[in-house]
Every structure is written in structure tokens, then in C-alpha cells.
Amino acid sequence: MRMYDLIEKKKHGGILTRQELHEMIQGFVTGEIPDYQMSAMLMAIYFKGMEGEEIINLTLEMAASGDIVDLSEIQGIKVDKHSTGGVGDKTTLVIGPLVASLGVKVAKMSGRGLGHTGGTIDKMESIPGLMTAIPKERFFEIVNETGIAVIGQSGNMVPADKKLYALRDVTATVDSIPLIASSIMSKKLAAGSDGIVLDVKTGSGAFMKTLEDSIALAKEMVTIGTGAGRRCCALITDMDVPLGSAIGNSLEVIEAIETLKGQGPDDLTEVCLQLAAHMLYIAGIGDVDKCYLMAEDALKDGRGLATLAAMVKAQGGDETYILNPDKFPKAEYSCTVIAPEEGFITHIDTESCGIASMLLGAGRSRKEDKIDYSAGIHLYKKYGNKVKKGEVLAELYASRKDQLEAASKKLLSAYTIGNEAPTDKKLIYACVTKDMVRDVTTKFQ
Ligand code: URA
């Protein structure tokens, strides 16, 4: 095989075979195929796309480029969840414990914040003592004992994706559906769970800004998951507005705890219950409606919260913070953002909220930046709310006073206030399975 010939083939819209993809991925990981040839291939894929079977083969080859986690030492069905990322998305901390409390195992590897979006591992590390780098044997033990463990990616998992992603980033080939789908799914397949529920976010704070693109990405990822023999479905959920009210690491952990006590914001609670119901369904527990009621019960009677506390303790964290979230340190400085006029909130630019939170110290603008766990934002007014001039839209928290000014300006710029009440926005747009795209009826839309 000559890489030149493969580029030529893809340039004319040809379909790469499994053997060709195998040699291409292996050659790229070992360094035999140089970046300039892979860049040309990525651009050819960007313009010519890939076919269903071809994308599955690419994903399997990427997953096989490094360690594949064997979860067979964990008893029972293991179900994973993946969110394409958003602002205020603390769903893993709610859904994981809920699902685990109902007997389905969650052996999860999560990521850190990326750009304006937060990451579960950073949020978890705001709990004193909690470890996210845990040896494999102990990881399995914790999942067997408590039903759940959430750790950072370790070892040599999917090196092909690390190299490809870095190249896509500098060759303007990130926004290609086959490349995004294979990137995400190669990591999910390598993580070893039997079932995968994908939370594909859509809107101004999401990677995919339009519903059409979000559904296309979801279909591709579900095709890969089922094609690789996993049970898989996707929910398309709104990220045109931040999820819940809290943005920032320990603030989001506190909101997740409130949600597990049944006292969380309606939108966050509903998205969590729907995702949990689909995870339980994928695990074969029952139909989605029955699973929804089971998840709701586990939330109401405190089983989910008890499971979160058990997981935190097992991972070395101080579980008294979960039982008494007032213990989380508060940021030294705060300020409010005030409505400049009367009206209705007709839009919140969610990406700007994420950037404001970064400016406060809750995220990283460079890889080596340290996170300030207590920094962040509490939104008091969201899409559709009526506000009076001078009313508080949000409160900002930081450890340095000088961080507040730029963040306040950014957050205020995220709000659009209009004279008329906006139309209702959907919270969950659809469920995508291998055979269909169906509506999801939610309590709170
Ligand atoms: N997240 C990933 O892991 N890969 C992509 O290509 C995009 C988002």
C-alpha cells in the first residue's frame, strides 16, 4: 500500500477497505506515514465523506491502535454515557450514581474541560482527596463494590485519535462528521462498556450548532456503536442555554448533589432522568417509561445520592462534602450582573457563558493552567424569564477581584433582552436509534 494511492482514491470519492484503513492507521501511529500525507487524507475525507461501513472500519482501526479496556472482571452489564460537551453539563455526576444504584454498572472514563466547555474530571477533583487516576484493579473493585467509578483516561488508549485530533486542529478538518464520529466512538469502544448512551448537544454552546448537524452526527455514532456490536442510542439535548443554573467546578458538584436530593433545576433534572432511563433501557432493565420511573424513584428516595457518596469515598474523596455541600470552600470575591432594561430573556449565548466562567478561573485557556474550583457563575435568569431593569441576572465568583470585570462584561453580552416572550424551547429534541429518530416527550420543555 502506498499512502499516495489511498489519498488519490479518497480524492475521487473511493471507499477505503478495512485492510487499507488498517495500514493507514498503523502507519500513521508508528510515524511511517508523515503528517503531510495524513493531512491531505483528512482534507479528502472532509470533502468526499465516508460510507457507513467504511466509518465503522476506520473507528475499529482507531480503537485498536492502543489499549482496549477489558471490563470482564466487573460483574453485570456495563453502560457508558458520553456527552459531546457543553456549559453547565454536570449530568454524569447525577446519572452515573442513579443508574448504578439500580444495579447497572458504570465504569466510566471521563475528560477534562476543553475550551469553553467543562469536564467531569475537573469537577470531581474539586472534592477534597478524590483521586481520578486509579490503578485498573482498584477501578474494577470500586465498580464491583459501589456500582460506579469515574476516572480519567489512562495508559495508551486510542493513540491514533490523539495524533489525528492534533492534526485536524491545525488543518481545519475538525468539523467533519465522519471524523468527529470516529474520534468519539473509537474512545468509547476502547473503554469497553456493553452499552453506550450518547448525549449529543445542540445549540449555541454545543459543538454542533444546528439540529440537522446534531442528528446527522448522532446517526453516524449510533451506526458505529451498533455496527461494532454495542447497544447504543443517542438523545439530542439542548445546549442553546446552559444546563441548570451553576457553571464552574465545585458549584456544579453542589448542583448535582441538589439534583440527587430532588431539589435541582427542572431542566437538569429532566435531562438526567431521560438519559438515566435510556441507560437502564439499553441495559435491558425494561422499557424507557418504566426505566424513567425507576430513575425518578432512586432520585426521590436518596439511593442515587448514597451511591455518589459511596463512590466519592471509594475514590479517596471526603464524602462528608457530599452529605454537607456547605463545606465546599467559597470564592473570596463575587459580584452580580444586572439587567440593563426590562423585558424577556430571548437568547443566552451559551459559549459566552462558558468563556465568562473561564475568565473567572473555572477553566483553562492553556493546557497548563490551574483550575480554581470555587470560581464560576450562578444564573438566576434564563431563557424565557421576564426581568425588571436592575434585577440580578447572575452572580459571579472568583478568587481574584480583577477577574470579575471582564467576566461580568462577557456574561452580560451573552444575554439578549427583548420586548416579547420568546417561543418555548425544546429540552430534548429526539432519540436516535439504529432504526429511527423519534420524539421524546418530556415533563419540562
Ligand atoms: N470530541 C472528540 O473527542 N473528538 C472530536 O472530533 C470532537 C469532539
Side-chain angles (χ1 to χ4, degrees):
M1 179 214 77
R2 287 197 322 152
M3 186 62 180
Y4 180 94
D5 297 331
L6 297 191
I7 299 168
E8 186 70 18
K9 184 174 179 182
K10 186 45 82 185
K11 188 176 86 180
H12 294 290
I15 297 171
L16 302 176
T17 65
R18 177 78 188 251
Q19 183 57 28
E20 287 168 340
L21 289 164
H22 173 76
E23 290 180 35
M24 178 178 92
I25 293 297
Q26 286 302 314
F28 183 54
V29 171
T30 56
E32 276 161 48
I33 293 174
D35 282 0
Y36 55 81
Q37 283 192 311
M38 189 51 94
S39 303
M41 174 58 86
L42 291 171
M43 196 53 88
I45 293 174
Y46 182 90
F47 281 113
K48 292 293 175 182
M50 292 184 104
E51 297 278 302
E53 191 68 23
E54 189 187 21
I55 305 179
I56 297 174
N57 287 337
L58 171 64
T59 311
L60 290 172
E61 288 302 332
M62 286 170 67
S65 68
D67 302 339
I68 304 258
V69 184
D70 174 3
L71 297 179
S72 58
E73 283 177 39
I74 299 171
Q75 293 121 35
I77 298 272
K78 279 77 69 178
V79 179
D80 200 352
K81 185 225 55 147
H82 177 82
S83 156
T84 56
V87 177
D89 180 4
K90 65 283 289 174
T91 54
T92 295
L93 298 171
V94 180
I95 303 162
L98 273 184
V99 167
S101 76
L102 292 160
V104 173
K105 299 285 171 36
V106 181
K108 187 155 174 50
M109 291 185 186
S110 283
R112 294 191 182 276
L114 196 65
H116 70 280
T117 65
T120 302
I121 292 299
D122 294 327
K123 292 170 202 180
M124 287 177 63
E125 286 178 352
S126 71
I127 303 167
L130 189 135
M131 290 173 296
T132 56
I134 291 176
K136 201 173 72 183
E137 293 68 27
R138 180 67 191 133
F139 174 53
F140 293 165
E141 250 172 45
I142 297 175
V143 182
N144 275 327
E145 282 162 16
T146 68
I148 176 170
V150 182
I151 59 170
Q153 241 183 47
S154 60
N156 182 35
M157 278 179 71
V158 201
D161 181 61
K162 288 196 188 91
K163 277 194 87 174
L164 280 170
Y165 197 90
L167 204 52
R168 286 167 58 207
D169 212 16
V170 292
T171 55
T173 50
V174 169
D175 54 341
S176 147
I177 286 182
L179 295 177
I180 298 172
S182 54
S183 164
I184 293 175
M185 291 306 288
S186 59
K187 289 173 281 206
K188 290 288 113 184
L189 297 183
S193 284
D194 308 302
I196 305 157
V197 172
L198 300 159
D199 178 8
V200 179
K201 304 284 185 194
T202 192
S204 65
F207 206 58
M208 293 282 137
K209 308 279 184 215
T210 68
L211 183 58
E212 199 186 355
D213 283 348
S214 305
I215 290 181
L217 177 63
K219 279 185 179 167
E220 211 57 82
M221 292 199 290
V222 170
T223 303
I224 296 170
T226 49
R230 310 293 169 91
R231 303 179 202 174
C232 188
C233 71
L235 292 187
I236 313 288
T237 69
D238 185 67
M239 191 39 75
D240 208 37
V241 178
L243 191 57
S245 305
I247 307 170
N249 299 283
S250 64
L251 297 175
E252 293 193 39
V253 174
I254 295 168
E255 191 168 76
I257 295 167
E258 294 302 315
T259 305
L260 281 168
K261 286 181 180 166
Q263 294 157 10
D266 289 346
D267 58 346
L268 175 64
T269 304
E270 181 62 10
V271 168
C272 287
L273 287 174
Q274 288 288 352
L275 285 165
H278 283 80
M279 285 173 81
L280 295 166
Y281 163 72
I282 285 277
I285 301 296
D287 63 34
V288 175
D289 290 344
K290 175 184 163 195
C291 290
Y292 183 97
L293 294 175
M294 288 172 71
E296 204 172 28
D297 280 348
L299 191 137
K300 281 186 191 150
D301 65 21
R303 271 176 289 167
L305 185 66
T307 305
L308 176 66
M311 178 194 84
V312 165
K313 187 174 179 196
Q315 291 192 216
D318 184 344
E319 87 276 22
T320 62
Y321 280 68
I322 306 301
L323 305 172
N324 178 12
D326 280 345
K327 287 183 83 168
F328 280 99
K330 312 269 178 302
E332 195 161 341
Y333 297 97
S334 68
C335 72
T336 52
V337 173
I338 300 296
E341 60 196 304
E342 182 172 315
F344 293 92
I345 312 289
T346 54
H347 179 62
I348 297 184
D349 184 68
T350 301
E351 187 165 340
S352 296
C353 296
I355 295 170
S357 171
M358 266 171 69
L359 293 172
L360 292 165
R364 300 178 188 83
S365 48
R366 291 166 311 163
K367 227 168 96 185
E368 56 280 9
D369 285 351
K370 274 193 83 153
I371 295 252
D372 178 353
Y373 294 122
S374 60
I377 302 170
H378 189 99
L379 301 173
Y380 289 102
K381 297 290 175 188
K382 288 186 42 175
Y383 179 83
N385 289 164
K386 195 169 190 312
V387 288
K388 293 197 191 99
K389 185 175 173 179
E391 225 180 323
V392 175
L393 297 174
E395 189 159 8
L396 274 50
Y397 310 94
S399 296
R400 285 198 343 249
K401 208 171 177 180
D402 62 296
Q403 290 167 307
L404 293 171
E405 196 182 331
S408 303
K409 278 196 187 132
K410 190 76 194 167
L411 192 71
L412 184 59
S413 75
Y415 278 88
T416 307
I417 300 177
N419 292 329
E420 306 215 343
T423 51
D424 286 347
K425 201 185 270 301
K426 279 195 153 198
L427 186 58
I428 302 179
Y429 288 90
C431 173
V432 177
T433 63
K434 124 172 131 21
D435 307 312
M436 61 174 167
V437 178
R438 68 166 171 80
D439 280 348
V440 176
T441 313
T442 59
K443 278 193 193 165
F444 176 88
Q445 286 275 272

